[in-house]
CSV table of all heavy atoms in Angstrom, one decimal:
chain,number,residue,atom,x,y,z
S,109,GLY,N,9.1,11.7,-7.5
S,109,GLY,CA,10.1,12.4,-6.7
S,109,GLY,C,9.8,12.4,-5.2
S,109,GLY,O,10.7,12.2,-4.4
S,110,HIS,N,8.5,12.6,-4.9
S,110,HIS,CA,8.1,12.6,-3.5
S,110,HIS,C,8.3,11.2,-2.9
S,110,HIS,O,8.7,11.1,-1.8
S,110,HIS,CB,6.6,13.0,-3.4
S,110,HIS,CG,6.2,13.3,-2.1
S,110,HIS,ND1,5.2,12.4,-1.4
S,110,HIS,CD2,6.5,14.2,-1.1
S,110,HIS,CE1,5.0,12.9,-0.2
S,110,HIS,NE2,5.8,13.9,0.0
S,111,ALA,N,8.0,10.2,-3.7
S,111,ALA,CA,8.2,8.8,-3.2
S,111,ALA,C,9.6,8.5,-2.9
S,111,ALA,O,10.0,7.8,-1.9
S,111,ALA,CB,7.6,7.8,-4.2
S,112,GLN,N,10.5,9.0,-3.7
S,112,GLN,CA,11.9,8.8,-3.5
S,112,GLN,C,12.4,9.6,-2.3
S,112,GLN,O,13.2,9.1,-1.5
S,112,GLN,CB,12.7,9.2,-4.7
S,112,GLN,CG,12.5,8.3,-5.9
S,112,GLN,CD,13.1,8.8,-7.2
S,112,GLN,OE1,13.4,10.0,-7.3
S,112,GLN,NE2,13.3,7.9,-8.2
S,113,GLU,N,11.9,10.7,-2.0
S,113,GLU,CA,12.2,11.5,-0.8
S,113,GLU,C,11.7,10.7,0.4
S,113,GLU,O,12.5,10.6,1.4
S,113,GLU,CB,11.5,12.8,-0.8
S,113,GLU,CG,12.1,13.8,-1.8
S,113,GLU,CD,11.3,15.1,-1.8
S,113,GLU,OE1,10.5,15.4,-0.8
S,113,GLU,OE2,11.3,15.8,-2.8
S,114,ILE,N,10.5,10.1,0.4
S,114,ILE,CA,10.0,9.4,1.5
S,114,ILE,C,10.8,8.1,1.7
S,114,ILE,O,11.1,7.7,2.9
S,114,ILE,CB,8.5,9.0,1.3
S,114,ILE,CG1,7.7,10.3,1.4
S,114,ILE,CG2,8.0,8.0,2.3
S,114,ILE,CD1,6.2,10.1,1.0
S,115,ALA,N,11.3,7.5,0.6
S,115,ALA,CA,12.1,6.3,0.7
S,115,ALA,C,13.4,6.6,1.4
S,115,ALA,O,13.9,5.8,2.3
S,115,ALA,CB,12.4,5.7,-0.6
S,116,GLU,N,14.0,7.8,1.1
S,116,GLU,CA,15.3,8.2,1.8
S,116,GLU,C,15.0,8.4,3.3
S,116,GLU,O,15.8,8.1,4.1
S,116,GLU,CB,15.8,9.5,1.1
S,116,GLU,CG,16.4,9.2,-0.2
S,116,GLU,CD,17.6,8.2,-0.2
S,116,GLU,OE1,18.4,8.3,0.7
S,116,GLU,OE2,17.6,7.4,-1.1
S,117,GLN,N,13.9,9.1,3.6
S,117,GLN,CA,13.5,9.3,5.0
S,117,GLN,C,13.4,8.0,5.8
S,117,GLN,O,13.8,7.8,6.9
S,117,GLN,CB,12.2,10.1,5.1
S,117,GLN,CG,12.3,11.5,4.7
S,117,GLN,CD,11.0,12.2,4.8
S,117,GLN,OE1,10.0,11.6,5.2
S,117,GLN,NE2,10.9,13.5,4.4
S,118,LEU,N,12.8,7.0,5.1
S,118,LEU,CA,12.5,5.7,5.8
S,118,LEU,C,13.8,4.9,6.0
S,118,LEU,O,14.0,4.2,7.0
S,118,LEU,CB,11.6,4.8,5.0
S,118,LEU,CG,10.1,5.3,5.0
S,118,LEU,CD1,9.3,4.5,4.0
S,118,LEU,CD2,9.5,5.3,6.4
S,119,LYS,N,14.8,5.1,5.1
S,119,LYS,CA,16.1,4.4,5.2
S,119,LYS,C,16.9,4.9,6.4
S,119,LYS,O,17.5,4.2,7.1
S,119,LYS,CB,17.0,4.6,4.0
S,119,LYS,CG,16.6,3.8,2.8
S,119,LYS,CD,17.5,4.0,1.6
S,119,LYS,CE,17.1,3.3,0.4
S,119,LYS,NZ,17.9,3.7,-0.8
S,120,GLU,N,16.7,6.2,6.7
S,120,GLU,CA,17.5,6.8,7.8
S,120,GLU,C,16.8,6.7,9.2
S,120,GLU,O,17.3,7.0,10.2
S,120,GLU,CB,17.7,8.3,7.5
S,120,GLU,CG,18.5,8.5,6.3
S,120,GLU,CD,18.5,10.0,5.8
S,120,GLU,OE1,17.9,10.8,6.5
S,120,GLU,OE2,19.1,10.3,4.8
S,121,LEU,N,15.5,6.2,9.1
S,121,LEU,CA,14.7,6.2,10.3
S,121,LEU,C,15.0,5.0,11.2
S,121,LEU,O,15.2,3.9,10.7
S,121,LEU,CB,13.2,6.2,9.9
S,121,LEU,CG,12.2,6.6,10.9
S,121,LEU,CD1,12.4,8.0,11.4
S,121,LEU,CD2,10.8,6.5,10.3
S,122,SER,N,15.0,5.2,12.5
S,122,SER,CA,15.2,4.1,13.4
S,122,SER,C,13.9,3.8,14.1
S,122,SER,O,13.4,4.6,14.9
S,122,SER,CB,16.3,4.4,14.5
S,122,SER,OG,16.3,3.5,15.5
S,123,VAL,N,13.2,2.7,13.8
S,123,VAL,CA,11.9,2.4,14.4
S,123,VAL,C,12.0,1.2,15.4
S,123,VAL,O,12.6,0.2,15.0
S,123,VAL,CB,10.9,2.0,13.2
S,123,VAL,CG1,9.6,1.7,13.8
S,123,VAL,CG2,10.8,3.1,12.2
S,124,THR,N,11.5,1.4,16.6
S,124,THR,CA,11.5,0.4,17.6
S,124,THR,C,10.0,0.2,18.0
S,124,THR,O,9.3,1.1,18.4
S,124,THR,CB,12.3,0.8,18.8
S,124,THR,OG1,13.6,1.1,18.3
S,124,THR,CG2,12.4,-0.3,19.8
S,125,LEU,N,9.6,-1.1,18.0
S,125,LEU,CA,8.3,-1.5,18.5
S,125,LEU,C,8.5,-2.3,19.8
S,125,LEU,O,9.4,-3.2,19.9
S,125,LEU,CB,7.6,-2.4,17.5
S,125,LEU,CG,7.0,-1.6,16.3
S,125,LEU,CD1,6.7,-2.6,15.2
S,125,LEU,CD2,5.7,-1.0,16.7
S,126,THR,N,7.6,-2.1,20.8
S,126,THR,CA,7.7,-2.9,22.0
S,126,THR,C,6.4,-3.7,22.1
S,126,THR,O,5.3,-3.1,21.9
S,126,THR,CB,7.8,-1.9,23.2
S,126,THR,OG1,8.9,-1.1,23.0
S,126,THR,CG2,8.0,-2.7,24.5
S,127,SER,N,6.5,-4.9,22.4
S,127,SER,CA,5.4,-5.8,22.5
S,127,SER,C,5.6,-6.8,23.6
S,127,SER,O,6.7,-7.1,24.0
S,127,SER,CB,5.1,-6.5,21.2
S,127,SER,OG,4.0,-7.3,21.3
S,128,ARG,N,4.5,-7.4,24.1
S,128,ARG,CA,4.7,-8.5,25.1
S,128,ARG,C,5.2,-9.7,24.5
S,128,ARG,O,4.8,-10.1,23.4
S,128,ARG,CB,3.3,-8.8,25.8
S,128,ARG,CG,2.8,-7.6,26.6
S,128,ARG,CD,1.5,-8.0,27.3
S,128,ARG,NE,1.5,-9.4,27.6
S,128,ARG,CZ,0.4,-10.0,28.0
S,128,ARG,NH1,-0.8,-9.4,28.0
S,128,ARG,NH2,0.4,-11.3,28.3
S,129,ALA,N,6.2,-10.3,25.2
S,129,ALA,CA,6.8,-11.5,24.6
S,129,ALA,C,7.1,-12.6,25.7
S,129,ALA,O,7.2,-12.2,26.9
S,129,ALA,CB,8.1,-11.2,24.0
S,130,GLY,N,7.2,-13.8,25.3
S,130,GLY,CA,7.5,-14.9,26.3
S,130,GLY,C,9.0,-15.0,26.5
S,130,GLY,O,9.8,-14.2,26.1
S,131,LYS,N,9.4,-16.0,27.3
S,131,LYS,CA,10.8,-16.2,27.6
S,131,LYS,C,11.7,-16.4,26.4
S,131,LYS,O,12.9,-15.9,26.4
S,131,LYS,CB,11.0,-17.3,28.6
S,131,LYS,CG,10.3,-17.1,29.9
S,131,LYS,CD,10.5,-18.3,30.9
S,131,LYS,CE,9.7,-18.1,32.2
S,131,LYS,NZ,9.8,-19.2,33.0
S,132,GLU,N,11.3,-17.1,25.5
S,132,GLU,CA,12.1,-17.4,24.3
S,132,GLU,C,12.1,-16.3,23.2
S,132,GLU,O,12.7,-16.4,22.2
S,132,GLU,CB,11.7,-18.7,23.6
S,132,GLU,CG,11.8,-20.0,24.5
S,132,GLU,CD,10.7,-20.1,25.5
S,132,GLU,OE1,9.5,-19.8,25.2
S,132,GLU,OE2,11.0,-20.6,26.6
S,133,GLY,N,11.4,-15.2,23.5
S,133,GLY,CA,11.4,-14.1,22.5
S,133,GLY,C,10.3,-14.2,21.6
S,133,GLY,O,10.2,-13.3,20.6
S,134,ARG,N,9.3,-15.1,21.7
S,134,ARG,CA,8.2,-15.2,20.9
S,134,ARG,C,7.1,-14.2,21.4
S,134,ARG,O,6.9,-14.1,22.6
S,134,ARG,CB,7.6,-16.6,20.8
S,134,ARG,CG,8.4,-17.5,20.0
S,134,ARG,CD,7.7,-18.8,19.7
S,134,ARG,NE,6.3,-18.7,19.3
S,134,ARG,CZ,6.0,-18.7,18.0
S,134,ARG,NH1,6.9,-18.7,17.0
S,134,ARG,NH2,4.7,-18.6,17.7
S,135,LEU,N,6.5,-13.4,20.5
S,135,LEU,CA,5.5,-12.4,20.9
S,135,LEU,C,4.2,-13.1,21.2
S,135,LEU,O,3.8,-14.1,20.6
S,135,LEU,CB,5.3,-11.4,19.7
S,135,LEU,CG,6.6,-10.6,19.3
S,135,LEU,CD1,6.2,-9.7,18.2
S,135,LEU,CD2,7.1,-9.8,20.5
S,136,PHE,N,3.4,-12.5,22.0
S,136,PHE,CA,2.0,-12.9,22.3
S,136,PHE,C,1.2,-12.1,21.2
S,136,PHE,O,0.9,-10.9,21.4
S,136,PHE,CB,1.5,-12.5,23.7
S,136,PHE,CG,2.3,-13.1,24.8
S,136,PHE,CD1,2.8,-12.4,25.8
S,136,PHE,CD2,2.5,-14.5,24.8
S,136,PHE,CE1,3.4,-13.0,26.9
S,136,PHE,CE2,3.1,-15.1,25.8
S,136,PHE,CZ,3.6,-14.4,26.8
S,137,GLY,N,0.9,-12.8,20.1
S,137,GLY,CA,0.3,-12.1,19.0
S,137,GLY,C,1.3,-11.8,17.9
S,137,GLY,O,2.3,-12.6,17.8
S,138,SER,N,1.1,-10.8,17.1
S,138,SER,CA,2.1,-10.5,16.1
S,138,SER,C,2.0,-9.0,15.8
S,138,SER,O,1.1,-8.3,16.2
S,138,SER,CB,1.8,-11.2,14.8
S,138,SER,OG,0.6,-10.9,14.3
S,139,ILE,N,3.0,-8.5,15.1
S,139,ILE,CA,3.1,-7.1,14.7
S,139,ILE,C,2.4,-7.0,13.4
S,139,ILE,O,2.7,-7.7,12.4
S,139,ILE,CB,4.6,-6.6,14.6
S,139,ILE,CG1,5.4,-6.8,15.9
S,139,ILE,CG2,4.7,-5.2,14.1
S,139,ILE,CD1,4.9,-6.0,17.0
S,140,THR,N,1.5,-6.0,13.2
S,140,THR,CA,0.7,-5.8,12.0
S,140,THR,C,1.2,-4.6,11.3
S,140,THR,O,2.0,-3.8,11.8
S,140,THR,CB,-0.8,-5.6,12.3
S,140,THR,OG1,-0.9,-4.4,13.1
S,140,THR,CG2,-1.3,-6.8,13.1
S,141,ALA,N,0.7,-4.4,10.1
S,141,ALA,CA,1.1,-3.3,9.2
S,141,ALA,C,0.6,-2.0,9.9
S,141,ALA,O,1.3,-1.0,9.9
S,141,ALA,CB,0.4,-3.4,7.9
S,142,GLY,N,-0.5,-2.0,10.6
S,142,GLY,CA,-1.0,-0.8,11.4
S,142,GLY,C,0.0,-0.5,12.5
S,142,GLY,O,0.2,0.7,12.7
S,143,ASP,N,0.5,-1.5,13.2
S,143,ASP,CA,1.5,-1.2,14.2
S,143,ASP,C,2.7,-0.6,13.6
S,143,ASP,O,3.3,0.3,14.3
S,143,ASP,CB,1.9,-2.5,14.9
S,143,ASP,CG,0.7,-3.2,15.6
S,143,ASP,OD1,-0.2,-2.5,16.1
S,143,ASP,OD2,0.7,-4.4,15.8
S,144,VAL,N,3.1,-1.0,12.5
S,144,VAL,CA,4.3,-0.4,11.8
S,144,VAL,C,4.1,1.0,11.5
S,144,VAL,O,5.0,1.9,11.7
S,144,VAL,CB,4.7,-1.3,10.6
S,144,VAL,CG1,5.8,-0.6,9.8
S,144,VAL,CG2,5.1,-2.7,11.0
S,145,THR,N,2.9,1.3,10.9
S,145,THR,CA,2.7,2.7,10.5
S,145,THR,C,2.6,3.7,11.7
S,145,THR,O,3.1,4.8,11.7
S,145,THR,CB,1.4,2.9,9.7
S,145,THR,OG1,0.3,2.3,10.4
S,145,THR,CG2,1.5,2.1,8.4
S,146,GLU,N,2.0,3.2,12.8
S,146,GLU,CA,2.0,4.0,14.0
S,146,GLU,C,3.4,4.2,14.6
S,146,GLU,O,3.7,5.3,15.0
S,146,GLU,CB,1.2,3.3,15.1
S,146,GLU,CG,-0.3,3.3,14.8
S,146,GLU,CD,-1.1,2.5,15.9
S,146,GLU,OE1,-0.6,2.3,17.0
S,146,GLU,OE2,-2.3,2.2,15.6
S,147,ALA,N,4.2,3.2,14.6
S,147,ALA,CA,5.6,3.3,15.1
S,147,ALA,C,6.4,4.2,14.2
S,147,ALA,O,7.2,5.0,14.7
S,147,ALA,CB,6.3,1.9,15.1
S,148,VAL,N,6.2,4.2,12.9
S,148,VAL,CA,6.9,5.2,12.0
S,148,VAL,C,6.5,6.6,12.3
S,148,VAL,O,7.4,7.5,12.4
S,148,VAL,CB,6.7,4.8,10.5
S,148,VAL,CG1,7.1,5.9,9.6
S,148,VAL,CG2,7.3,3.5,10.2
S,149,ALA,N,5.2,6.8,12.5
S,149,ALA,CA,4.8,8.2,12.9
S,149,ALA,C,5.3,8.6,14.2
S,149,ALA,O,5.7,9.8,14.4
S,149,ALA,CB,3.2,8.2,12.9
S,150,LYS,N,5.4,7.7,15.2
S,150,LYS,CA,5.9,8.1,16.5
S,150,LYS,C,7.4,8.4,16.5
S,150,LYS,O,7.9,9.2,17.2
S,150,LYS,CB,5.6,7.0,17.5
S,150,LYS,CG,4.2,6.9,18.0
S,150,LYS,CD,4.0,5.8,19.0
S,150,LYS,CE,2.6,5.6,19.4
S,150,LYS,NZ,2.3,4.5,20.3
S,151,ALA,N,8.1,7.7,15.5
S,151,ALA,CA,9.5,7.9,15.4
S,151,ALA,C,9.9,9.2,14.6
S,151,ALA,O,11.0,9.5,14.4
S,151,ALA,CB,10.2,6.7,14.7
S,152,GLY,N,8.9,9.9,14.2
S,152,GLY,CA,9.1,11.1,13.5
S,152,GLY,C,9.2,11.0,12.0
S,152,GLY,O,9.6,11.9,11.2
S,153,GLY,N,8.7,9.8,11.5
S,153,GLY,CA,8.7,9.6,10.0
S,153,GLY,C,7.5,10.1,9.3
S,153,GLY,O,6.6,10.6,10.0
S,154,PRO,N,7.4,9.9,8.0
S,154,PRO,CA,6.2,10.3,7.3
S,154,PRO,C,5.0,9.5,7.6
S,154,PRO,O,5.1,8.3,8.0
S,154,PRO,CB,6.7,10.1,5.8
S,154,PRO,CG,7.7,9.1,5.9
S,154,PRO,CD,8.4,9.2,7.2
S,155,ALA,N,3.8,10.0,7.4
S,155,ALA,CA,2.6,9.3,7.5
S,155,ALA,C,2.4,8.3,6.4
S,155,ALA,O,2.6,8.6,5.2
S,155,ALA,CB,1.4,10.2,7.5
S,156,LEU,N,2.3,7.0,6.7
S,156,LEU,CA,2.1,6.0,5.7
S,156,LEU,C,0.7,5.4,5.7
S,156,LEU,O,0.1,5.4,6.8
S,156,LEU,CB,3.2,4.8,6.0
S,156,LEU,CG,4.6,5.2,6.0
S,156,LEU,CD1,5.5,4.0,6.4
S,156,LEU,CD2,5.0,5.7,4.6
S,157,ASP,N,0.3,4.8,4.6
S,157,ASP,CA,-0.9,4.1,4.5
S,157,ASP,C,-0.6,2.6,4.9
S,157,ASP,O,0.3,2.0,4.3
S,157,ASP,CB,-1.5,4.2,3.1
S,157,ASP,CG,-2.8,3.5,2.9
S,157,ASP,OD1,-3.4,3.1,4.0
S,157,ASP,OD2,-3.3,3.5,1.8
S,158,LYS,N,-1.3,2.0,5.8
S,158,LYS,CA,-1.0,0.7,6.2
S,158,LYS,C,-1.2,-0.3,5.1
S,158,LYS,O,-0.6,-1.4,5.1
S,158,LYS,CB,-1.9,0.3,7.4
S,158,LYS,CG,-3.3,0.1,7.2
S,158,LYS,CD,-4.0,-0.3,8.4
S,158,LYS,CE,-5.5,-0.5,8.2
S,158,LYS,NZ,-6.2,-0.8,9.4
S,159,ARG,N,-2.0,0.0,4.1
S,159,ARG,CA,-2.1,-0.9,2.9
S,159,ARG,C,-0.9,-0.9,2.1
S,159,ARG,O,-0.7,-1.9,1.3
S,159,ARG,CB,-3.3,-0.5,2.1
S,159,ARG,CG,-4.7,-0.7,2.8
S,159,ARG,CD,-5.8,-0.1,2.0
S,159,ARG,NE,-5.7,1.3,2.1
S,159,ARG,CZ,-6.6,2.2,1.6
S,159,ARG,NH1,-7.7,1.7,1.0
S,159,ARG,NH2,-6.4,3.5,1.6
S,160,LYS,N,0.0,0.0,2.2
S,160,LYS,CA,1.2,0.1,1.4
S,160,LYS,C,2.4,-0.7,2.1
S,160,LYS,O,3.4,-0.9,1.5
S,160,LYS,CB,1.7,1.5,1.2
S,160,LYS,CG,0.6,2.4,0.4
S,160,LYS,CD,0.5,2.0,-1.0
S,160,LYS,CE,-0.5,2.9,-1.7
S,160,LYS,NZ,-0.7,2.5,-3.1
S,161,VAL,N,2.2,-1.0,3.4
S,161,VAL,CA,3.2,-1.7,4.1
S,161,VAL,C,3.0,-3.2,3.8
S,161,VAL,O,1.9,-3.8,4.0
S,161,VAL,CB,3.1,-1.4,5.6
S,161,VAL,CG1,4.1,-2.3,6.4
S,161,VAL,CG2,3.3,0.0,5.9
S,162,GLN,N,4.1,-3.9,3.4
S,162,GLN,CA,4.0,-5.3,3.0
S,162,GLN,C,4.9,-6.1,3.9
S,162,GLN,O,6.1,-6.0,3.9
S,162,GLN,CB,4.4,-5.5,1.6
S,162,GLN,CG,3.5,-4.7,0.6
S,162,GLN,CD,4.1,-4.8,-0.8
S,162,GLN,OE1,5.2,-5.0,-1.0
S,162,GLN,NE2,3.2,-4.5,-1.8
S,163,LEU,N,4.2,-6.9,4.7
S,163,LEU,CA,4.9,-7.9,5.6
S,163,LEU,C,5.0,-9.2,4.9
S,163,LEU,O,4.0,-9.8,4.5
S,163,LEU,CB,4.2,-8.1,6.9
S,163,LEU,CG,3.9,-6.8,7.8
S,163,LEU,CD1,3.0,-7.1,9.0
S,163,LEU,CD2,5.2,-6.2,8.2
S,164,THR,N,6.3,-9.7,4.6
S,164,THR,CA,6.4,-10.9,3.9
S,164,THR,C,5.9,-12.1,4.7
S,164,THR,O,5.3,-13.0,4.2
S,164,THR,CB,7.9,-11.2,3.5
S,164,THR,OG1,8.7,-11.1,4.7
S,164,THR,CG2,8.3,-10.1,2.5
S,165,SER,N,6.1,-12.0,6.0
S,165,SER,CA,5.6,-13.0,6.9
S,165,SER,C,5.3,-12.3,8.2
S,165,SER,O,5.8,-11.3,8.5
S,165,SER,CB,6.6,-14.1,7.2
S,165,SER,OG,7.8,-13.6,7.8
S,166,PRO,N,4.3,-12.8,9.0
S,166,PRO,CA,4.0,-12.2,10.2
S,166,PRO,C,5.2,-12.0,11.2
S,166,PRO,O,6.0,-13.0,11.3
S,166,PRO,CB,2.9,-13.1,10.9
S,166,PRO,CG,2.4,-13.9,9.7
S,166,PRO,CD,3.5,-14.1,8.8
S,167,ILE,N,5.3,-10.9,11.8
S,167,ILE,CA,6.4,-10.7,12.8
S,167,ILE,C,5.9,-11.2,14.1
S,167,ILE,O,5.1,-10.6,14.7
S,167,ILE,CB,6.8,-9.2,12.8
S,167,ILE,CG1,7.2,-8.7,11.4
S,167,ILE,CG2,7.8,-9.0,13.9
S,167,ILE,CD1,7.5,-7.2,11.4
S,168,LYS,N,6.5,-12.3,14.5
S,168,LYS,CA,6.1,-13.0,15.8
S,168,LYS,C,7.2,-13.2,16.7
S,168,LYS,O,7.1,-14.0,17.7
S,168,LYS,CB,5.4,-14.3,15.5
S,168,LYS,CG,4.1,-14.2,14.7
S,168,LYS,CD,3.4,-15.5,14.6
S,168,LYS,CE,2.1,-15.3,13.9
S,168,LYS,NZ,1.3,-16.5,14.0
S,169,ALA,N,8.4,-12.5,16.5
S,169,ALA,CA,9.5,-12.8,17.4
S,169,ALA,C,10.3,-11.4,17.6
S,169,ALA,O,10.2,-10.5,16.8
S,169,ALA,CB,10.5,-13.8,16.7
Side-chain angles (χ1 to χ4, degrees):
H110 189 249
Q112 290 171 342
E113 288 176 22
I114 291 174
E116 288 300 319
Q117 289 177 359
L118 290 176
K119 283 181 187 175
E120 298 170 2
L121 200 61
S122 173
V123 179
T124 304
L125 283 161
T126 306
S127 183
R128 290 184 34 195
K131 294 179 184 177
E132 293 82 34
R134 285 191 48 92
L135 300 179
F136 296 131
S138 65
I139 302 294
T140 64
D143 297 333
V144 172
T145 57
E146 288 176 19
V148 168
K150 285 180 185 175
L156 299 175
D157 183 5
K158 69 179 180 181
R159 293 173 289 186
K160 301 291 183 179
V161 175
Q162 298 172 341
L163 301 173
T164 54
S165 62
I167 299 175
K168 294 187 174 192

